[in-house]
Amino acid sequence: MSDQPVLLITGASSGIGAATARAAAKQGYRLVLAARSEDKLHKLQQELGGKEQVLTVRCDVQSETDQREMVKKALASFGRIDAVFANAGRGGEPGGFSGADVEVWKDMILTNIYGVGLTVQHCLPALRESRGHLLLTGSAAGRVTIPGSMYSATKWAVSAIGYGAREELRGSGIRVTLIEPGMVDTPFFDQQPDNALQPDDVANAVMYAVSQPAHVDVNEILVRPTPAIKDS
């Protein structure tokens, strides 16, 4: 059995997830890449070393069956999971609490909160075995009040999941890190945002956290784009 560590990433087909997969592959990780888009996952698999180094799993994080199978396949292929990056998430639509599409709310809440909870629950047994690392994609939006934003509310919930998991796991050897980016230029947005972070910037934060020695637990990393330079 290989000594290479194994990192599992949900929402791995694009954006922050794909950038983190590339960064981790460079650091010698074997990868379990999960998302709904199988075509994009297969392209990443070919790019990052093929089937010996990268397992791809179609996974809708809202499905308990999918998440259970994701972990089962990861352990069958690699025998261990050393780190889990619960990264899958989605944004909402304008309209605030007064006029937003409630079906969008429902899908977003199930993805951003319930889906994260399922990932944590199903991955924890393997992380207990490895004394591994749990990382969650929160958001700067989960630290501030944004008028009418259900998305912000879901990211407050992710922060709460991270804090609660850390307390539950205290003394287990498992480290828990909240990754909290500001605006990131990803497919999350229909139009390219100005003055945004790049996915690689967030991947660098993830790799910083996992690269620390076992006695160092990086609890949170809040990373925002540098404010635009004002004309003098």
Side-chain angles (χ1 to χ4, degrees), residues 20-21 25 40 118 145-146 148 150-151 168 170 189 212 228 230:
T20 302
K40 291 180 180 179
L118 288 177
T145 300
I146 300 177
M150 185 64 80
Y151 171 77
E168 178 181 349
R170 187 175 295 277
F189 296 101
Q212 299 307 300
K230 296 180 180 179

Side-chain angles (χ1 to χ4, degrees), residues 51-69:
K51 293 182 179 180
E52 290 187 1
Q53 293 295 113
V54 181
L55 171 67
T56 63
V57 183
R58 188 195 179 281
C59 178
D60 179 346
V61 295
Q62 296 182 24
S63 166
E64 184 178 5
T65 299
D66 282 5
Q67 296 240 32
R68 185 185 301 111
E69 286 299 306

Side-chain angles (χ1 to χ4, degrees), residues 8-91:
L8 183 152
I9 305 172
T10 64
S13 61
S14 63
I16 292 168
T20 302
R22 292 185 176 100
K26 289 179 182 177
Q27 295 298 320
Y29 279 84
R30 291 176 293 169
L31 300 168
V32 180
L33 304 182
R36 290 180 295 183
S37 178
E38 292 183 281
D39 290 344
K40 291 180 180 179
L41 290 178
H42 289 154
K43 289 179 181 177
L44 269 175
Q45 183 184 57
Q46 294 170 4
E47 175 189 342
L48 300 178
K51 293 182 179 180
E52 290 187 1
Q53 293 295 113
V54 181
L55 171 67
T56 63
V57 183
R58 188 195 179 281
C59 178
D60 179 346
V61 295
Q62 296 182 24
S63 166
E64 184 178 5
T65 299
D66 282 5
Q67 296 240 32
R68 185 185 301 111
E69 286 299 306
M70 171 185 72
V71 174
K72 183 177 178 180
K73 290 175 181 178
L75 294 174
S77 294
F78 295 141
R80 60 196 280 186
I81 300 173
D82 298 280
V84 172
F85 185 24
N87 168 68
R90 64 152 297 173

Side-chain angles (χ1 to χ4, degrees), residues 20-217:
T20 302
R22 292 185 176 100
K26 289 179 182 177
Q27 295 298 320
Y29 279 84
R30 291 176 293 169
L31 300 168
V32 180
L33 304 182
R36 290 180 295 183
S37 178
E38 292 183 281
D39 290 344
K40 291 180 180 179
L41 290 178
H42 289 154
K43 289 179 181 177
L44 269 175
Q45 183 184 57
Q46 294 170 4
E47 175 189 342
L48 300 178
K51 293 182 179 180
E52 290 187 1
Q53 293 295 113
V54 181
L55 171 67
T56 63
V57 183
R58 188 195 179 281
C59 178
D60 179 346
V61 295
Q62 296 182 24
S63 166
E64 184 178 5
T65 299
D66 282 5
Q67 296 240 32
R68 185 185 301 111
E69 286 299 306
M70 171 185 72
V71 174
K72 183 177 178 180
K73 290 175 181 178
L75 294 174
S77 294
F78 295 141
R80 60 196 280 186
I81 300 173
D82 298 280
V84 172
F85 185 24
N87 168 68
R90 64 152 297 173
E93 290 186 348
F97 295 123
S98 303
D101 183 335
V102 296
E103 288 303 312
V104 172
W105 272 1
K106 182 178 179 180
D107 186 61
M108 180 172 59
I109 290 167
L110 287 173
T111 299
N112 293 6
I113 304 174
Y114 179 64
V116 169
L118 288 177
T119 301
V120 172
Q121 185 174 90
H122 287 290
C123 290
L124 277 183
L127 290 178
R128 287 185 187 276
E129 287 289 327
S130 65
R131 294 186 178 178
H133 200 148
L134 174 65
L135 304 103
L136 313 174
T137 298
S139 173
R143 283 174 164 254
V144 297
T145 300
I146 300 177
S149 175
M150 185 64 80
Y151 171 77
S152 175
T154 67
K155 289 302 184 179
W156 277 87
V158 172
S159 295
I161 291 171
Y163 300 154
R166 184 177 300 114
E167 291 307 309
E168 178 181 349
L169 297 170
R170 187 175 295 277
S172 68
I174 298 174
R175 298 181 290 177
V176 179
T177 302
L178 276 163
I179 304 292
E180 300 165 313
M183 189 174 289
V184 184
D185 184 4
T186 71
F188 186 92
F189 296 101
D190 293 330
Q191 295 183 338
Q192 185 175 16
D194 295 326
N195 194 42
L197 298 167
Q198 295 301 310
D200 286 345
D201 301 324
V202 185
N204 289 340
V206 174
M207 298 314 298
Y208 170 78
V210 299
S211 69
Q212 299 307 300
H215 70 281
V216 177
D217 187 359

